[in-house]
Amino acid sequence: MSIEVENLVKRFDGFTALDGVSLEIREGELVALLGPSGSGKTTLLRIIAGLEFPDTGAILMDGIDASTRHVGARNVGFVFQHYALFRHMTVFENVAFGLRVKPRRLRPAEAEIRARVDRLLDLVQLEGMAKRYPSQLSGGQRQRVALARALAIEPRVLLLDEPFGALDAKVRKDLRRWLRRLHDEMGLTSVFVTHDQEEALELADRVVVMSQGRIEQVGTPEEIYDRPATPFVYEFLGHVNRLPCTVARGRARVWHQEFGLEETAPVEQIGRGLAYVRPEDIEIAVRAPGEEGTRARVLHLSLLGPIVRVELAVPGLADPVEAEIPRARQRELDLRVGQEVLVRARAAKVFTEAA
Ligand code: ADP
Ligand code: MG
């Protein structure tokens, strides 16, 4: 089912939680809503679900205004971070719940309910657990029950609000891949809320980055990561060095290098900017005697598995510059704290300061 979100505004007691949000979700897509806490992700998801109503704007599902259908008829399943399973019900009854509460004319026969729940428990790899109670399951198993429960009504749209947020890192990673497979196999259209950029980039077809009730950028994981549209998106995706630079005639001078500006600044503008350079785009070289370039001194080295993080002091910069180099590269360079090196930016995006 396609979902069109048209210019939603939602206020709570004068506080603007959504400030003109528009978005098109295509049939079969898995879209991640990514943003810090308070950016409006849950509010947007709840409005799509029909659990909340916008002050202005509309949701169209397959082109039809969703406000004309009541929640039960929207064909939507949802899973929340703390999806309270019914503690007094077995796994089987939890999954069957959504079918049992259907109006009689829509409710499947008992044999059909049993068959469907068994199939779902197979699908979420909980076969054999039907008679257990939630308290007898691990966190990851409980979230799979919550998913099976959401899927029991055979929704066309699956909405998930930080469904793995409470689980530990290893379980999260497994469930992520598994969710992606489930989404594809069942031909769902899914919207997935997370504040974890890695989760969004790994899982989603497209990522919607939100901040303060607005959409900062919508794009594929590659677009979002390779071409962040705003300083906010850059900073939200992980650590980034911000290097003050001068801008003249459409070029920015960063250290001993020049970078072209995109369409962000008028060509004739002269002024100051900030060059955003990711740690993995800082190149370090051992300085040969007499060699020119931007000098830096190694302040600190830390080993992060296959990557080594190098903190560098660069003359004229108040903050240390952070570089990340592959472990294999460090074996060649053999950097030591206190050593003087040369640095280059392999890539930079320059945001000019508003004149
Ligand atoms: P997120 O899910 O991105 O953390 P939310 O959509 O939950 O953000 O909330 C966005 C903002 O709206 C927050 O500042 C939150 O406090 C406020 N908000 C959300 N729901 C309500 C509510 N029912 N009443 C008052 N304020 C709310
Ligand atoms: Mg939330």
Side-chain angles (χ1 to χ4, degrees):
M1 187 176 317
S2 69
I3 305 169
E4 274 168 76
V5 173
E6 285 185 348
N7 204 20
L8 294 184
V9 175
K10 177 69 182 177
R11 293 192 186 87
F12 295 106
D13 311 320
F15 177 84
T16 305
L18 294 180
D19 191 9
V21 167
S22 298
L23 177 66
E24 276 184 34
I25 298 167
R26 298 188 271 270
E27 159 117 40
E29 260 193 319
L30 197 167
V31 166
L33 304 180
L34 173 69
S37 171
S39 54
K41 308 181 296 293
T42 295
T43 303
L44 175 54
L45 201 71
R46 287 176 56 83
I47 291 175
I48 294 173
L51 297 172
E52 195 89 68
F53 297 95
D55 297 335
T56 60
I59 302 288
L60 306 186
M61 291 182 146
D62 276 347
I64 297 168
D65 187 340
S67 66
T68 61
R69 294 177 178 169
H70 83 87
V71 176
R74 281 196 188 187
N75 246 325
V76 166
F78 23 87
V79 180
F80 296 108
Q81 176 171 355
H82 299 288
Y83 200 118
L85 295 175
F86 300 118
R87 283 159 48 196
H88 61 286
M89 285 186 193
T90 61
V91 165
F92 183 94
E93 287 305 324
N94 265 285
V95 176
F97 180 80
L99 299 173
R100 296 217 194 282
V101 298
K102 276 187 182 263
R104 179 164 302 151
R105 74 193 156 77
L106 298 174
R107 193 186 311 152
E110 187 60 26
E112 166 61 18
I113 291 180
R114 301 214 151 259
R116 216 192 272 187
V117 172
D118 285 343
R119 247 190 342 262
L120 282 162
L121 289 179
D122 272 358
L123 194 69
V124 300
Q125 295 161 2
L126 289 173
E127 57 283 299
M129 305 255 177
K131 295 209 171 77
R132 292 210 191 175
Y133 286 87
S135 61
Q136 298 168 306
L137 301 176
S138 70
Q141 289 170 334
R142 271 184 230 163
Q143 269 321 53
R144 274 153 40 208
V145 176
L147 258 159
R149 179 158 84 171
L151 295 171
I153 57 164
E154 298 185 338
R156 295 179 59 204
V157 173
L158 185 61
L159 305 176
L160 308 107
D161 193 354
E162 313 223 16
F164 310 141
L167 304 172
D168 67 48
K170 167 81 174 80
V171 178
R172 281 177 84 119
K173 280 207 163 161
D174 290 346
L175 284 186
R176 240 185 243 174
R177 304 211 170 119
W178 174 87
L179 174 69
R180 177 74 235 194
R181 226 177 317 126
L182 195 76
H183 165 94
D184 293 338
E185 279 169 15
M186 300 190 72
L188 293 163
T189 302
S190 304
V191 186
F192 181 97
V193 165
T194 180
H195 63 266
D196 178 338
Q197 62 277 17
E198 198 186 298
E199 191 159 90
L201 294 175
E202 178 179 337
L203 194 62
D205 297 312
R206 285 193 305 153
V207 178
V208 178
V209 184
M210 297 185 65
S211 163
Q212 301 185 351
R214 291 173 164 277
I215 292 179
E216 290 272 328
Q217 187 173 4
V218 181
T220 63
E222 291 74 21
E223 286 164 351
I224 296 280
Y225 194 80
D226 293 340
R227 293 188 292 286
T230 65
F232 175 86
V233 177
Y234 239 120
E235 280 164 47
F236 193 69
L237 292 180
H239 184 80
V240 60
N241 297 293
R242 293 186 299 174
L243 311 176
C245 60
T246 52
V247 177
R249 288 183 298 280
R251 312 281 299 166
R253 198 164 174 77
V254 182
W255 295 344
H256 283 71
Q257 299 160 252
E258 283 209 336
F259 290 93
L261 298 179
E262 292 168 37
E263 60 297 339
T264 50
V267 172
E268 69 279 8
Q269 186 175 331
I270 296 181
R272 306 200 54 76
L274 276 178
Y276 281 61
V277 184
R278 289 224 169 85
E280 73 253 33
D281 289 329
I282 300 276
E283 219 172 271
I284 301 177
V286 173
R287 182 172 165 252
E291 195 179 347
E292 288 308 312
T294 303
R295 295 189 195 185
R297 195 164 45 78
V298 177
L299 291 176
H300 191 75
L301 293 161
S302 35
L303 179 62
L304 315 169
I307 295 265
V308 179
R309 178 182 297 151
V310 188
E311 259 179 57
L312 300 149
V314 177
L317 289 186
D319 296 324
V321 168
E322 214 174 278
E324 285 177 4
I325 58 174
R327 183 103 191 265
R329 176 71 180 144
Q330 161 64 350
R331 277 196 286 268
E332 293 165 15
L333 289 171
D334 192 25
L335 299 175
R336 307 290 168 90
V337 170
Q339 185 177 346
E340 206 178 70
V341 293
L342 293 179
V343 288
R344 278 186 77 251
R346 205 173 283 129
K349 172 146 177 163
V350 177
F351 293 99
T352 51
E353 284 164 18

